[in-house]
Amino acid sequence: MAVSRLFKRFCGLHKANARIQACLPGYIHRRALSDSKVFNNGDDTVLPVLIVGAGPVGLVLSLLLTKLGVKCSVLEKSKTFSKHPQAHFINNRSMEVFRKLDGLAEEIQRSQPPVDLWRKFIYCTSLYGSILGSVDHMQPQDFEQVVSPASVAHFSQYKLISLLLKELENLSFKLCMSNELEGLNHRPFQERQLLMGHECVSIKANDDFISVTASFLKDGKRMERNIRCNIIVGTDGAGSTVRKLAGIDMRGKRDLQKLVSVHFSSRDLGKYLLSERPGMLFFIFNTEAIGVLVAHDLKQGEFVLQIPFYPPQQNLEDFSPEICEELIFKLVGRELSDINVIDIKPWVMHAEVAEKFISCGNRIILAGDAAHRFPPAGGFGMNTGIQDSHNLAWKIASVVKGIAPSSILHTYETERRPIAIFNTELSIQNFKAAMTVPAALGLDPTVANSVHQVINEGVGSILPSGLQRAILDGIFTIGRAQLSESLLNEKNPLGSSRLANLRRIFEEGKSLQLQFPAEDLGFRYLEGALIPDTDDALGAPEGPTGRRRDYVPSVDPGSRLPHMNVAILSNSSSEVCCYCFLSIFT
């Protein structure tokens, strides 16, 4: 009966006015809480939800809101969607969310590479050279669909975005470029629009709505348009403009590592790896170069190479397409006749969580990388953001439909911020695990970072930049000498000891891990939009270990309701078996 009432209220059969107080930096509160409306349901000039940022998190949120009957639109400052592969691992929980989006999970499973082509991480001296070890990240239970109806996936972010855009198109969303819009400031902003090339430049709040100014180019001229909305959700990435305009700071560890990401293609390399050593990640260590190769699609020959980057002694000009080709050849172990360097991007690894996810009286909200940014170890970034959207969408809908007061929106932060903090620590642990392999080979990354810091902050301040670069290159050359074949072999006592240590790291599961079932499915909301079944305080969750742990189903309040097989009896008493995943609003 309770579920029936909830469904009817979501369908709009019951209405209620939801109220909040607004408090943006610089905005002076002038009305009591009970007098300040979040939603002006009768005012067509005010959009209920404006989403800033059209990455996976923003697009998933727009899909979920639209399917729940909430009017929304999306702003994206880029004029086109990037083809740089970026995130690529989708965990069980995110795939469960995608099952609710009209067959999206099934489409991802059909479109991704076969699992046997990406289940391993391979450690080697070059792609054509000696294999130092490998780790298979798939276990038999991962294929049995016992704990989840959906399997994990290896699917590049730009391909996911393409599928999400098709889903939005099916819901009558319109993709708009700035030069296609006429009379922008002479009509109300419409729902179901995805405006490309529109950058959010200011946010102002009053008692009735938030006014957002979007900047864009039209016919070569910089123009602005004002959009009025009840709620703005920042899904605009690690450098979030919405977060900065709201005055929300990040807390955590910055500058863990700087890297250059090289997107390239080579069908010849893909064909070789398919037949000889298929895998997802290749960790390559030799005397000439060190890097991590991500095989996004072996059949298509699509790769991303991650290379350590040490500015200011190094700069982006040091990574021209020609230089990157040479680095790739050194790591591959031979030249490639069909190599095509597509894109080169620097990036910085952080581990930070926003001090708050929601502000301005529950009307400015952060999700995804705008709220948290992790090391890429374990694929927590995109997955945590997608699950942010899933948590947030039904709460926004419940306020719009009059089911719940606007205070329920604050439970989004109450529930999701502790998960982000937990995942931050877990990703740091996993990143440190990744560093145990080069350390075992005599290449301790912490030493390299310390040397770089000394050059930057110590003697480097009095040395010419060219000499600084020469010192840094010399130190790295000496370090890579630890990887010479004369040293790193079983006949050399030191090399034999290092290789034995490396084998122990792999056998004991102490290297970089891909899957964390216990954390992906077993996280628990200790407080928020839940009602404990006892008066006892909920215990704190077990801390992250950095190792793979099995998921143990639980029906404790705040936990994901376990997946199960359900037997359905028809009128003829014949039994039909089906998979049923039940989700509850927690």
Side-chain angles (χ1 to χ4, degrees), residues 329-504:
F329 296 159
K330 291 175 182 178
L331 293 167
V332 170
R334 64 179 60 184
E335 293 190 2
L336 302 169
S337 60
D338 67 338
I339 189 170
N340 176 30
V341 175
I342 301 167
D343 194 15
I344 302 166
K345 289 185 176 181
W347 64 282
V348 183
M349 188 186 300
H350 303 291
E352 296 181 301
V353 177
E355 60 182 0
K356 54 185 176 180
F357 286 12
I358 190 164
S359 67
C360 190
N362 302 333
R363 294 197 293 174
I364 297 179
I365 304 173
L366 304 178
D369 287 354
H372 42 71
R373 46 195 187 187
F374 316 131
F380 293 102
M382 182 176 71
N383 287 294
T384 305
I386 288 167
Q387 293 155 42
D388 288 345
S389 290
H390 182 257
N391 183 284
L392 182 60
W394 74 265
K395 293 175 179 177
I396 291 177
S398 69
V399 176
V400 173
K401 298 293 183 180
I403 296 171
S406 63
S407 58
I408 196 173
L409 295 177
H410 193 71
T411 68
Y412 161 71
E413 176 181 310
T414 304
E415 292 176 350
R416 294 303 300 170
R417 190 169 183 273
I419 301 301
I421 293 171
F422 184 96
N423 287 350
T424 302
E425 181 58 33
L426 182 54
S427 65
I428 290 174
Q429 289 183 358
N430 206 26
F431 172 67
K432 289 179 179 178
M435 297 300 102
T436 62
V437 171
L441 296 174
L443 295 169
D444 191 341
T446 60
V447 173
N449 291 335
S450 296
V451 169
H452 184 232
Q453 184 176 357
V454 168
I455 293 175
N456 285 341
E457 299 176 1
V459 297
S461 61
I462 59 175
L463 295 177
S465 58
L467 186 54
Q468 292 181 43
R469 172 69 177 265
I471 293 173
L472 193 66
D473 288 346
I475 291 172
F476 290 162
T477 299
I478 294 171
R480 291 195 301 269
Q482 303 296 313
L483 304 170
S484 66
E485 292 183 3
S486 61
L487 178 60
L488 197 62
N489 67 77
E490 295 292 353
K491 294 181 180 181
N492 185 300
L494 179 58
S496 178
S497 174
R498 287 176 174 175
L499 291 172
N501 188 24
L502 192 61
R503 286 192 294 271
R504 283 194 295 271

Side-chain angles (χ1 to χ4, degrees), residues 133-400:
S134 66
V135 179
D136 188 342
H137 292 282
M138 301 300 291
Q139 298 182 7
Q141 61 265 35
D142 297 330
F143 303 99
E144 295 169 355
Q145 295 185 327
V146 172
V147 299
S148 175
S151 300
V152 299
H154 173 42
F155 197 64
S156 301
Q157 181 172 316
Y158 78 91
K159 296 178 181 178
L160 174 61
I161 285 176
S162 179
L163 293 184
L164 293 172
L165 291 174
K166 289 180 181 178
E167 295 281 341
L168 286 170
E169 184 179 358
N170 292 337
L171 293 176
S172 301
F173 259 76
K174 183 180 179 182
L175 184 67
C176 304
M177 302 301 295
S178 57
N179 57 6
E180 298 173 348
L181 301 173
E182 300 291 342
L184 292 175
N185 286 310
H186 302 289
R187 68 184 185 198
F189 187 69
Q190 298 177 353
E191 63 170 310
R192 303 196 188 195
Q193 290 189 9
L194 201 172
L195 270 61
M196 303 297 294
H198 283 65
E199 182 177 5
C200 173
V201 294
S202 74
I203 301 173
K204 297 180 181 178
N206 61 32
D207 291 319
D208 300 314
F209 54 81
I210 290 178
S211 179
V212 177
T213 302
S215 174
F216 60 95
L217 282 175
K218 182 174 174 61
D219 299 328
K221 296 180 180 179
R222 179 62 59 181
M223 301 183 69
E224 292 183 346
R225 97 155 288 183
N226 293 319
I227 303 167
R228 299 196 297 179
C229 62
N230 298 128
I231 285 179
I232 180 171
V233 184
T235 60
D236 48 341
S240 172
T241 298
V242 173
R243 185 184 69 234
K244 293 172 183 176
L245 291 173
I248 299 174
D249 293 329
M250 300 290 281
R251 296 284 184 263
K253 299 179 180 179
R254 295 181 55 83
D255 299 341
L256 293 176
Q257 191 172 21
K258 296 180 175 66
L259 300 107
V260 170
S261 179
V262 183
H263 181 202
F264 73 95
S265 65
S266 171
R267 286 184 178 269
D268 287 348
L269 179 59
K271 184 177 179 181
Y272 163 73
L273 293 174
L274 274 173
S275 63
E276 299 297 330
R277 50 180 72 173
M280 177 192 282
L281 296 186
F282 297 82
F283 299 82
I284 309 167
F285 307 94
N286 62 48
T287 57
E288 294 187 284
I290 294 172
V292 179
L293 185 72
V294 185
H296 282 267
D297 193 326
L298 290 177
K299 288 186 175 180
Q300 297 298 319
E302 184 173 36
F303 302 93
V304 169
L305 176 64
Q306 305 287 359
I307 310 168
F309 179 41
Y310 295 93
Q313 290 78 25
Q314 295 177 336
N315 54 62
L316 193 56
E317 288 70 31
D318 295 326
F319 296 89
S320 66
E322 294 76 18
I323 292 175
C324 287
E325 284 185 11
E326 290 300 319
L327 281 170
I328 292 168
F329 296 159
K330 291 175 182 178
L331 293 167
V332 170
R334 64 179 60 184
E335 293 190 2
L336 302 169
S337 60
D338 67 338
I339 189 170
N340 176 30
V341 175
I342 301 167
D343 194 15
I344 302 166
K345 289 185 176 181
W347 64 282
V348 183
M349 188 186 300
H350 303 291
E352 296 181 301
V353 177
E355 60 182 0
K356 54 185 176 180
F357 286 12
I358 190 164
S359 67
C360 190
N362 302 333
R363 294 197 293 174
I364 297 179
I365 304 173
L366 304 178
D369 287 354
H372 42 71
R373 46 195 187 187
F374 316 131
F380 293 102
M382 182 176 71
N383 287 294
T384 305
I386 288 167
Q387 293 155 42
D388 288 345
S389 290
H390 182 257
N391 183 284
L392 182 60
W394 74 265
K395 293 175 179 177
I396 291 177
S398 69
V399 176
V400 173

